[in-house]
Amino acid sequence: MKNATKPDGTQENSEAKSNPRIRTRLIHGLSHTGRWDYNHHVVPPITASAAFRLDSAQRGAQGFAEFGADENDPKTHKTIYVYDRLDEPTRGMLEDNLAFAEKGEIAVGFSSGMAAISAALCVLAKADEHIVTHKVLYGCTYSLITGWLPRQNIHATLTDLSDMDALRDAIQPNTRIIYFETPVNPDLLIIDIRGVRNVVDEVNAKRGPDDHIRVVVDNTFATPFCQRPLELGAHVVCQSLTKGIGGFGTDMGGAVIGPRTMHRDLVMYRKDFGGSLSPKSAWPVLVQGLPTLATRMVNYQKSAMRIAQYLEGHAKVAKVHYPGLASFPQHELAKRQMFDDRGRFAPGSMVYFMLDDPQNNGEPAARFIDWAADNAYCLTLAVSLGQIKTLIEAPYSMTHAAMPEEEKRALGLMPGGIRISVGLEDWHDIIADLETAMSQV
Ligand SMILES: *Cc1c(COP(=O)(O)O)cnc(C)c1O
């Protein structure tokens, strides 16, 4: 980016360059740092080199020695790239923009949201330590925490994190992580990030720094456009880049965003467990997904509000969950933690609703979904979310299949629940499709 040159030859940054707003920064990024120089590109390139040419054995040794060492200023120190799995520039540029979007010090890119979540948990907790999570979790996070981590002797207590007394009760001397999504996938319950942090601060005040508890938030549903958990008290954020940030549904990716003190462990973990985000997948997120995030979210939200209102007024709908609705039980809490970088309420693009289902067997929802899957124009039956196409799914039997049936029912997740990820279609057309699907119920 060009700078104005003053008469004495020194350069002056414009205000936009020295302090850009999020939307602007995510379009331009930093085109020139010690880690890459794309000053003469309009669109940064996809780099595609598994290994990098080293000029000498000494330079190779220096590249390895500096990897993860973090003592050099990345803005000016020229990175010695060695091997894609360690570090690479397209992914690096995306990481820089993600850290900015989430207001974190650093971001580390992984091959999927699950690779990011497993890295965050395994970097922060080791054998014989304990995790407290909210009791409703994305299905694969649930099976990671209840199925795989116990094999490494990391056990979890699943509780209701909208209840601070339940959180206090669940914390043990060996607890190291409080983990949750907010809004929760799929029922959009809001967990009070600041409230959780306050409880954690009380506990940490009585502990040595090595035993501190960290608050880890999965911010996939909200995206950093609607919510920046690090500013609200979370220590670490996980993202599935596959969803709202990627936005176009072409690639998988994930990221952990947090303090610089975690950077070395995260990149070393990624180096050794191998779940590095491919530059070919980082690139569409860097040049298409993140730069359009703000514009897409503004439009998703407008349509989501109309759709939530439409559903709320429909005789066959028993319940609608959308944080933007005044009837949403946690509407006030949602307003306190979901807002864009200019402070405007940003309730997101996800809507969850339940059809009237007197038998509670999910049959009306099945008729609705089957009609939509086969006949609707704008409603696509598919998991995933945050794309330009409106997606619907049945969490009970699809994304949350890993959770046991009795548990789901006890938590209010019923077979009749339908999740909508609102896309960029004209909202009249989305509602027209919903209306016809309703007539099949
Ligand atoms: C999809 C999803 C994930 C996992 O992300 P992948 O990129 O599919 O691995 C994690 N958390 C939430 C809330 C999700 O919706």
Side-chain angles (χ1 to χ4, degrees):
M1 274 177 280
K2 295 184 293 297
N3 292 328
T5 303
K6 291 196 282 188
D8 64 2
T10 60
Q11 300 215 309
E12 188 169 46
N13 285 341
S14 75
E15 199 222 310
K17 186 170 183 181
S18 49
N19 192 18
R21 286 158 182 82
I22 287 189
R23 179 188 297 218
T24 309
R25 174 61 154 76
L26 297 184
I27 290 171
H28 289 278
L30 292 176
S31 58
H32 179 86
T33 73
R35 300 180 67 200
W36 54 80
D37 181 356
Y38 301 144
N39 237 352
H40 293 97
H41 287 73
V42 175
V43 178
I46 306 184
T47 44
S49 190
F52 292 79
R53 192 179 67 80
L54 298 159
D55 306 317
S56 63
Q58 186 280 331
R59 185 176 153 89
Q62 194 185 340
F64 275 101
E66 287 179 2
F67 173 67
D70 280 347
E71 60 244 352
N72 300 308
D73 179 357
K75 293 237 161 48
T76 51
H77 181 77
K78 271 206 180 336
T79 300
I80 299 173
Y81 291 110
V82 176
Y83 193 57
D84 176 334
R85 178 156 42 72
L86 278 61
D87 195 7
E88 106 60 62
T90 302
R91 183 171 66 226
M93 192 170 182
L94 173 62
E95 289 168 342
D96 187 71
N97 286 356
L98 284 169
F100 184 86
E102 289 282 5
K103 300 288 171 200
E105 289 174 355
I106 57 98
V108 177
F110 289 88
S111 54
S112 69
M114 289 316 304
I117 292 167
S118 53
L121 297 178
C122 291
V123 159
L124 291 173
K126 54 184 190 298
D128 302 322
E129 293 182 335
H130 175 250
I131 301 176
V132 175
T133 77
H134 184 62
K135 57 195 182 174
V136 181
L137 293 166
Y138 173 65
C140 301
T141 309
Y142 179 88
S143 48
L144 170 71
I145 285 170
T146 59
W148 291 103
L149 294 187
R151 291 166 58 147
Q152 300 180 35
N153 224 15
I154 299 170
H155 292 273
T157 300
L158 282 70
T159 188
D160 179 1
L161 290 184
S162 65
D163 172 353
M164 294 306 138
D165 291 329
L167 167 61
R168 281 193 188 86
D169 287 349
I171 292 175
Q172 302 176 6
N174 60 344
T175 302
R176 295 292 177 269
I177 299 171
I178 314 293
Y179 179 91
F180 56 92
E181 302 153 8
T182 181
V184 173
N185 182 0
D187 61 7
L188 304 173
L189 182 89
I190 309 286
I191 293 170
D192 181 353
I193 299 170
R194 226 185 277 281
V196 169
R197 174 60 185 264
N198 289 343
V199 171
V200 164
D201 280 349
E202 284 165 27
V203 177
N204 284 347
K206 297 180 210 125
R207 293 182 172 196
D210 287 350
D211 297 340
H212 272 192
I213 299 173
R214 305 308 205 307
V215 178
V216 181
V217 174
D218 178 339
N219 198 31
T220 299
F221 259 38
T223 81
F225 177 81
C226 300
Q227 174 175 275
R228 282 137 331 268
L230 298 173
E231 290 187 318
L232 298 164
H235 296 95
V236 177
V237 160
C238 297
Q239 272 290 352
S240 167
L241 305 177
T242 317
K243 312 290 176 55
I245 291 182
F248 294 87
T250 58
D251 291 82
M252 302 213 64
V256 179
I257 304 101
R260 185 159 300 284
T261 49
M262 264 182 86
H263 186 245
R264 182 184 154 82
D265 279 354
L266 284 169
V267 295
M268 289 296 177
Y269 183 96
R270 182 177 70 180
K271 169 176 84 70
D272 297 338
F273 282 82
S276 302
L277 174 62
S278 156
K280 293 188 188 72
S281 292
W283 187 80
V285 183
L286 172 67
V287 307
Q288 294 160 351
L290 257 190
T292 58
L293 177 66
T295 301
R296 283 185 291 111
M297 285 306 306
V298 165
N299 286 284
Y300 291 155
Q301 282 182 169
K302 280 190 193 154
S303 299
M305 189 65 190
R306 306 242 189 212
I307 289 163
Q309 284 167 340
Y310 159 79
L311 292 169
E312 194 172 39
H314 200 287
K316 292 180 181 171
V317 174
K319 211 164 176 201
V320 184
H321 300 226
Y322 181 63
L325 287 176
S327 62
F328 185 72
Q330 296 171 298
H331 185 63
E332 291 308 315
L333 173 58
K335 280 192 195 160
R336 287 201 301 277
Q337 66 183 26
M338 300 183 77
F339 48 86
D340 67 19
D341 67 324
R342 291 167 60 188
R344 292 169 301 197
F345 184 35
S349 61
M350 303 300 296
V351 179
Y352 180 73
F353 71 102
M354 275 175 288
L355 292 169
D356 267 334
D357 187 359
Q359 253 90 63
N360 205 7
N361 57 9
E363 256 178 46
R367 281 200 295 278
F368 180 98
I369 286 189
D370 285 342
W371 181 87
D374 232 13
N375 305 291
Y377 188 58
C378 317
L379 308 176
T380 303
L381 176 63
V383 297
S384 202
L385 55 111
Q387 301 193 11
I388 59 172
K389 290 185 178 179
T390 296
L391 305 179
I392 60 166
E393 67 118 6
Y396 188 90
S397 54
M398 297 171 64
T399 44
H400 292 66
M403 290 175 68
E405 299 234 351
E406 316 76 73
E407 216 159 299
K408 279 186 281 205
R409 284 177 181 268
L411 297 171
L413 280 190
M414 297 300 172
I418 298 173
R419 192 184 80 180
I420 308 182
S421 164
V422 177
L424 286 186
E425 302 92 340
D426 187 309
W427 59 271
H428 295 91
D429 292 325
I430 303 174
I431 290 182
D433 268 347
L434 290 170
E435 181 70 23
T436 320
M438 287 292 182
S439 69
Q440 312 299 310
V441 175

